[in-house]
Amino acid sequence: MAEEAPGGARRGAEELEAAERGPGAAYHMFAMMEDLLEKLKLLNYEEEALRRHHLRPLSRHYFALPTNPGEQFYMFCTLAAWLITKAGHPFEQPQEYDDPNATISNILSELRSFGRSVDFPPSKLKAGYGEQACYVLDCLAEEALKHTDFSWKRPAYPTEELEEEAITEDDAELTLNKLEEEIEEEETDNEENFIDLNVLKAQTYRSDMNESTKQEEILESTTDAAEWNLEVERVLPQLKVTIRTDNKDWRIHVDQMHQHKDGIESALKETRGYLDKLHNEISRTLEKVNSREKYLNNQLEHLVQEYRTAQAQLSEAKEKYQQGSGGVTERTRTLSEITEVLEKVKQEMEEKGSSMTDGAPLVKIKQALTKLKQETVQMDIRIGVVEHTLLQSKLKEKSNMTRDMHATMIPETTIGAY
């Protein structure tokens, strides 16, 4: 929220400033952008600037609306550097990773050197779009056009001349003076075209009434001839009648077929001579080519024979090569198998060598021997204890047996004495 507050305040300030300047101020940069695009096209920016840096052409509102600030800023810097160079001041092309503040400062300093005023902070150009960006590029484009001695010329409007309607060969448009004659001819020839009969009747009736009234009322003409001619010229286009012909009429198709036939025959007469000449020239050229081919075959017979021999030798060499390559492949496979076996043997030897040089098994053996000796001593002690126990038991048993024997012998002696 803290980041959005400055942006909202800035937009509010811009809207307030636009409201103070007038209702059309918000659309001023769109018009400026269109003027800038026209000036860039006059300077051929697509070939000299965009294609060199592999950039896309600009749209009508590219710098007026925010689309991609990073791309727009890079495009702004690229076009500004190109326009400054085009205006006669050498300017190094900015790179993508240059400091934007330094780049903007250099562009504005060059703009001031042309005598242009800069009444906005440089931070306005960091976004790469807006009225300030359009203003800077527009000023630089004007300076570039001045340096190239370009001048706007007054527009040359084409003069429109009224062409008189020509009367075609098929008499599609007729004047009223010739209308009655053509109607009579059409009636005699039995060729009826599509004409509105009601209109013709009304026109003939009106003309008859006018003639009758004129004969009764006007006996002497007091009209000026010049005025009469002007009136005739003014009314003449309105007196023309268009006769619509039916395209489905078979007579029209027959006439067209005859016309096309006559045109084809006339054209064939002219072109047949040219075609005959062309045929003769092609025939002579073919004869020359055939004779030259035979001559070359005769002259190069030995070379052709040598080529065939070399071709046969080449085929034999290819066969030998294929056979040799097959043996090489087999030997390569055998070598790979032997190499695998050798690697296994080496690995086993390395394992055995490492086990022989390793003292860990010997230490284990010594530890096992020491443990065996200890266990042997303990077993000897236990055996001695057991032997001593057995000896004690045997002695005790023997003493018991002797005592029992003496006990049995004493009564017998006593009994004998009695």
Side-chain angles (χ1 to χ4, degrees), residues 229-256:
N229 291 328
L230 291 175
E231 184 67 18
V232 169
E233 291 178 359
R234 185 182 68 82
V235 181
L236 184 62
Q238 301 177 2
L239 299 178
K240 292 182 180 180
V241 178
T242 302
I243 299 175
R244 293 176 294 177
T245 58
D246 189 4
N247 293 327
K248 295 182 180 179
D249 192 3
W250 63 271
R251 297 182 182 86
I252 297 174
H253 293 294
V254 171
D255 294 337
Q256 291 178 354

Side-chain angles (χ1 to χ4, degrees), residues 13 32 68 81 131 150-151 164 191 224 258 260 277 291 299 320-321 336 342 358 380:
M32 188 183 298
N68 187 354
E131 186 176 357
F150 179 83
S151 61
E164 296 182 357
E191 294 180 357
D224 189 7
H258 286 299
H260 293 318
K277 291 180 181 179
S291 62
Q299 292 293 326
K320 292 181 180 179
Y321 172 74
S336 62
L342 180 61
D358 192 5
D380 290 340

